[in-house]
Amino acid sequence: MIAETVGVRLDCDGPVATVTLCRPDVLNAQTPTMWRAMSDFARQLPGDVRVVVVRGEGRAFSAGLDLSVAGASGPGSFAELATLPEQECADRIAEFQAAFTWLHRPGVISVAAVQGHAIGAGFQLALACDLRVLAADARLSMAEVTLGLVPDLAGTKRLVELVGYARALEICATGRRMDAAEADRLGLATLVVPNAELDAAVRDLTAGLLANDRDAVVEIKALLAGATSRSHAEQQRAEREAQTRRLRDLAGRGE
């Protein structure tokens, strides 16, 4: 299965789906049209998909928001959004966020394959994924502040969870760029590999994720994703309940 629209493509091959930003001439800068297409991909995803890989064509993952579109006067532009009533503007942004948040879906593990620039919306797209494999030349920045804006594509909570409040504040409030080595030290990278090895590293990681029982992996993701919001006792209870479901399922006594 292949679905393609302006600037972004979905390829499904058995249990692996690949979302590719395909505007290499502008370093895969993103537009509201691409975000709507990515939201549609969430509805088109076959039920047997277990891993979603997000990548960019060419030498960059994504240079962020396409300012030639955002700075114009059409739908999704800064000018158009600023004229909307407050709630309508917030609702429009919620639609944009949906292009990113479906990658949190419980039944799949999402992997960002990041080379070159991952700036602003590009950084937030990488953060939307569960795991991030970075090429050695990756450069990450939460650059919205340089435009007088805030990160609004569901990236702030993920960033705080990964690096802590103080470091997240420093990253967002300065808009500075991080190289792959720093991203690795801060816990933003699952792996950092030489550029030539990025695709192979993602394939190896994907194979490892697919090697084990799907339902067990889904339960593990849910346990870990909810761990920070639970007390120790609540987490232990969640572990017990998840293990009980697995034992019953393996014994053929599941629902």
Side-chain angles (χ1 to χ4, degrees), residues 222-239:
L223 276 173
L224 299 178
T228 56
S229 64
R230 300 188 189 108
S231 67
H232 286 288
E234 289 168 340
Q235 182 70 3
Q236 291 156 21
R237 176 178 178 180
E239 291 174 355

Side-chain angles (χ1 to χ4, degrees), residues 142-253:
M142 200 72 89
E144 286 81 359
V145 70
T146 64
L147 301 173
L149 301 172
V150 304
D152 64 343
L153 297 171
T156 55
K157 180 174 174 59
R158 281 295 182 93
L159 185 61
V160 171
E161 289 172 346
L162 289 167
V163 305
Y165 162 75
R167 182 59 70 193
L169 176 61
E170 181 265 331
I171 289 169
C172 292
T174 65
R176 69 176 180 84
R177 296 193 180 185
M178 293 173 283
D179 61 18
E182 181 181 5
D184 193 23
R185 290 195 303 271
L186 294 178
L188 290 166
T190 307
L191 294 170
V192 175
V193 297
N195 284 46
E197 298 176 17
L198 180 61
D199 290 344
V202 171
R203 285 195 299 270
D204 288 347
L205 177 58
T206 298
L209 295 171
L210 294 173
N212 294 299
D213 182 278
R214 177 175 190 164
D215 291 335
V217 173
V218 169
E219 290 279 14
I220 288 168
K221 178 175 175 176
L223 276 173
L224 299 178
T228 56
S229 64
R230 300 188 189 108
S231 67
H232 286 288
E234 289 168 340
Q235 182 70 3
Q236 291 156 21
R237 176 178 178 180
E239 291 174 355
R240 295 192 298 269
E241 292 172 347
Q243 193 73 305
T244 298
R245 287 190 294 272
R246 294 305 308 132
L247 291 168
R248 290 180 62 83
D249 189 52
L250 291 171
R253 302 184 65 182

Side-chain angles (χ1 to χ4, degrees), residues 31-244:
T31 67
T33 299
M34 293 168 67
W35 295 337
R36 283 189 286 273
M38 289 161 65
S39 295
D40 290 341
F41 290 167
R43 293 184 284 273
Q44 297 168 11
L45 206 66
D48 61 345
V49 168
R50 295 180 56 186
V51 176
V52 177
V53 176
V54 182
R55 58 181 296 272
E57 282 187 0
R59 59 191 177 91
F61 180 69
S62 174
L65 180 64
D66 187 338
L67 295 179
S68 69
V69 174
S73 57
S77 68
F78 295 157
E80 191 255 351
L81 290 173
T83 64
L84 298 176
E86 288 186 13
Q87 187 57 55
E88 190 173 342
C89 180
D91 291 344
R92 185 75 62 82
I93 294 170
E95 294 174 3
F96 299 160
Q97 290 172 334
F100 295 69
T101 56
W102 73 272
L103 293 165
H104 306 172
R105 182 178 289 185
V108 300
I109 295 180
S110 48
V111 181
V114 181
Q115 79 282 6
H117 293 305
I119 308 299
F123 188 15
Q124 292 191 77
L125 182 58
L127 287 171
C129 294
D130 298 303
L131 306 173
R132 283 155 293 283
V133 181
L134 271 56
D137 74 341
R139 298 294 182 269
L140 284 62
S141 173
M142 200 72 89
E144 286 81 359
V145 70
T146 64
L147 301 173
L149 301 172
V150 304
D152 64 343
L153 297 171
T156 55
K157 180 174 174 59
R158 281 295 182 93
L159 185 61
V160 171
E161 289 172 346
L162 289 167
V163 305
Y165 162 75
R167 182 59 70 193
L169 176 61
E170 181 265 331
I171 289 169
C172 292
T174 65
R176 69 176 180 84
R177 296 193 180 185
M178 293 173 283
D179 61 18
E182 181 181 5
D184 193 23
R185 290 195 303 271
L186 294 178
L188 290 166
T190 307
L191 294 170
V192 175
V193 297
N195 284 46
E197 298 176 17
L198 180 61
D199 290 344
V202 171
R203 285 195 299 270
D204 288 347
L205 177 58
T206 298
L209 295 171
L210 294 173
N212 294 299
D213 182 278
R214 177 175 190 164
D215 291 335
V217 173
V218 169
E219 290 279 14
I220 288 168
K221 178 175 175 176
L223 276 173
L224 299 178
T228 56
S229 64
R230 300 188 189 108
S231 67
H232 286 288
E234 289 168 340
Q235 182 70 3
Q236 291 156 21
R237 176 178 178 180
E239 291 174 355
R240 295 192 298 269
E241 292 172 347
Q243 193 73 305
T244 298

